[in-house]
Amino acid sequence: MPAGMKPEEAGKFIQEEVAAFARTSRLNRMPDSGDDFIFDQPLVQFADGDDPIFSEYKTIIDSAHLKPREALARTYEKSPGDLPARLFVISWILPITAKTRESNRPQKTVPSRLWAYTRWYGEKFNGALREHVVKIITERGYLATAPFLQPYFKQMEKDNGPSSNWSERHIAYAAGLGTFSLSDGFITERGIAHRCGSVVTDMPLPISPRTARTPYSNCLFYVNKKCRACIPRCPAGAITEQGHDKKKCREYMHDTIGYINQKYSVDVQGCGLCQTRVPCEFRNPAKKLQA
Ligand code: B12
Ligand code: SF4
Ligand code: SF4
């Protein structure tokens, strides 16, 4: 990408690179399953690195949650004020394929093999994608970091359960990719069954509009109280009309490790039953109501 490229062109360049990587990387293919993809084509959008919402996250999530400027400064061991005047965040959604989603629908207590593989092998792809995006940007002379891969990334224990200092879903919200939900999952235009990731950079990019009226407006429960489908889907009783109990969810998922390891030979916990056989599985169910 030549220097001086306009933000719109740079945005297109990043979107095409992410799409090409998802199409061509061997890491985005299921093992033992022909040539099946793990993820469908990604959704990619951009946030302003100094959007005031990142300061709000210090209250909404935790004071330790990093602003993009703080994350980039830590990677480059600079002070945040010494970085370029404008920063940007690239956020992507990796939609889980129909075959994997369909395999998880009949499950009642543990995830299907393909769902567990998506958590294990799919996250390896997500990590490689983060590295690839950082590489193509830094090769062109810009700064870039994937905070989730940095040694300063940490998970914290709060009164209501686990949290972290770089929440990929909150980054996706800032980039206008969707909203949260009753089950806590992040509902995009391609639904709730996905994984997500992000990179902070000073490469000028076009800011994507954040059109959601509230942080929950893609979830039917909050739109018209008509949906509660994720509540009975949860084998742990972790979802109620009051929301998602992260501690119950984590305890339940922890108990799946033995089964998943023995049956599927991957060393990961998982569940995600609340993300399949629900109206928000692969689309934004509130879209028509918002129009
Ligand atoms: C810790 C963690 C967990 C914990 C806690 C989850 C949680 N809700 O935070 C446990 C172990 C329970 C868990 C479980 C799962 N996880 Co997990 N987990 C993470 C991790 C590492 C950090 C999450 C974090 O920082 N949370 C921060 C807290 C504050 O988030 P929160 O409580 O949901 O936030 C609420 C408030 O902020 C609230 N809110 C209140 N006021 C306001 C105002 C505004 C303006 C906004 C925006 C929000 C807001 O909105 C949110 C929802 O209620 C991320 C990876 C990452 N680095 O992001 C993956 C991640 C969240 N997990 C993921 C997945 C897929 C799962 C599972 C499906 C497991 C599986 N693969 O089978 C389950 C699903 C649980 C569920 N129902 O959401 C995906 C989520 C994708 C998605 N579709 O939403 C992530 C993003 C991993 C990834 N890279 O894709 N996980
Ligand atoms: S199943 Fe219904 S209530 Fe639950 S998150 Fe999806 S839209 Fe919201
Ligand atoms: S991931 Fe499983 S245990 Fe956690 S809320 Fe969803 S269905 Fe319940």
Side-chain angles (χ1 to χ4, degrees), residues 58 64-65 70 81 87 127 149 171 214-215 226 234 245 271 285:
K58 298 262 181 203
H65 196 270
E70 292 169 333
L87 299 182
L149 298 182
I171 305 306
T214 79
K226 286 263 162 72
C234 176
D245 183 329
C271 176

Side-chain angles (χ1 to χ4, degrees), residues 194-222:
H194 63 81
R195 298 191 67 80
C196 47
S198 61
V199 161
V200 182
T201 181
D202 64 338
M203 174 189 266
L205 291 164
I207 309 301
S208 312
R210 200 159 56 236
T211 52
R213 274 199 312 268
T214 79
Y216 293 93
S217 55
N218 288 354
C219 170
L220 291 174
F221 177 81
Y222 294 102

Side-chain angles (χ1 to χ4, degrees), residues 258-269:
Y259 179 92
I260 291 175
N261 189 265
Q262 205 192 357
K263 286 272 187 192
Y264 309 147
S265 304
V266 289
D267 196 11
V268 72
Q269 59 180 8

